Structure formats: structure tokens, C-alpha cells
Amino acid sequence: MRIFFTMIFALGVLGLSAQKYLYIKKGNEFPKERIGLNERVTFKTSESTKFTKGILNDVTPTAITVNGKTYELTDVVAFRTHNEIMTVTGTALAGGALLFTTLGLINRATSSYEGGLTNGQWITAASFFGGGLLLRWAGKRTFKTEKGWHWEVIDLNQSLGIE
């Protein structure tokens, strides 16, 4: 039993060793989002026209490293976060609509029924597919510097004197 508690304690201490976070804040308010190391991040720089997706490898007070490439925080003009529950639910609805519509088409094509689906079945499939895509879209939230958002790096290791 002692070994079990020792292992749990050691894992907890190891978890404390990588406590660097990128906070998305507006003014002096409480942070809206917290992005930790090795989490998925989507951002846009002042030079790019598209959002860049990747895994956050490192955070310093002046820069972030995503997929091994370093970006200055002053160059980042927007961060996009995703609500995972809405993304998964939206994907499941859209995928389910495609799956069951395909199964319905195959069933009607191989049976003695006339081909194609009824209008009600098409409307239901389109509703579920559209609703799934709408949920995926609604699960995104974009934070832009032009709307007053800023990025702050918190390094708990440095503040606790661990390094």
C-alpha cells in the first residue's frame, strides 16, 4: 500500500513540473481560457491570412512554440478555442446523418421498394447533417486583439522557485 501512495505522490510531483499556461484575458478580468503545454491550439499571426493549428510545445513570456516553430506573442492577433463537447456532438450528428442516409439508400436499392428516399427521410437527414455542422461551428470561439483580448503567460514553476 505504501508503494501505491508513493507512486501517486511521485506522479503528482511530476505533474507539477510542467505548469506553464497561456491565459487569454480581457483587461483585468478573470482569464477566459487557459491553454496548457501539449494542448491543441489554433491561432493567427499578423503575417498570415489563415489560422495555424498545432500542439503547444513551449510557452515563454514573449513567445510560444507550436509544432517546433516559435512565434512571438506580439505577432499573434487571434486565438481560437474549441468546445470539445459541441465539436464531438456535432461530428456525431453529421456522421450519423450520412451513415443512416447511406444505409437507407442501400436498403431501398436492394429491396423491392422503389428507389430513393422519401421527402421526409431527406429532410431528416439534411436536418441532422446541418445541425451537426452548426454545432461544430457554434463550438468555436475566437479571441482577437482588436476586440481587447490579450495573452498572458503564467509559469508556476518560476513563481514557486522550482526550476
Side-chain angles (χ1 to χ4, degrees), residues 70-132:
T70 303
Y71 300 90
E72 294 295 321
L73 279 175
T74 55
D75 292 340
V76 176
V77 295
F79 273 99
R80 180 172 284 165
T81 60
H82 303 271
N83 183 330
E84 296 297 327
I85 293 172
M86 290 181 76
T87 302
V88 169
T89 305
T91 303
L93 278 174
L98 288 176
L99 174 71
F100 289 113
T101 302
T102 305
L103 288 175
L105 283 170
I106 292 170
N107 183 34
R108 289 181 71 94
T110 58
S111 66
S112 62
Y113 297 114
E114 66 275 357
L117 298 176
T118 65
N119 287 342
Q121 290 170 323
W122 281 114
I123 290 170
T124 303
S127 299
F128 276 100
F129 186 75

Side-chain angles (χ1 to χ4, degrees), residues 9-99:
F9 179 74
L11 288 174
V13 170
L14 287 175
L16 290 174
S17 67
Q19 291 194 10
K20 292 182 180 181
Y21 298 104
L22 177 69
Y23 285 105
I24 299 174
K25 297 175 72 174
K26 189 176 227 181
N28 290 328
E29 297 177 7
F30 191 74
K32 199 67 161 175
E33 293 285 336
R34 180 183 80 176
I35 303 170
L37 296 180
N38 300 316
E39 286 186 18
R40 185 178 73 153
V41 65
T42 306
F43 65 97
K44 185 176 180 182
T45 61
S46 56
E47 297 92 31
S48 66
T49 57
K50 292 184 173 181
F51 278 87
T52 304
K53 295 180 185 179
I55 301 296
L56 185 65
N57 302 119
D58 192 24
V59 175
T60 66
T62 59
I64 59 172
T65 304
V66 177
N67 293 340
K69 188 174 178 187
T70 303
Y71 300 90
E72 294 295 321
L73 279 175
T74 55
D75 292 340
V76 176
V77 295
F79 273 99
R80 180 172 284 165
T81 60
H82 303 271
N83 183 330
E84 296 297 327
I85 293 172
M86 290 181 76
T87 302
V88 169
T89 305
T91 303
L93 278 174
L98 288 176
L99 174 71

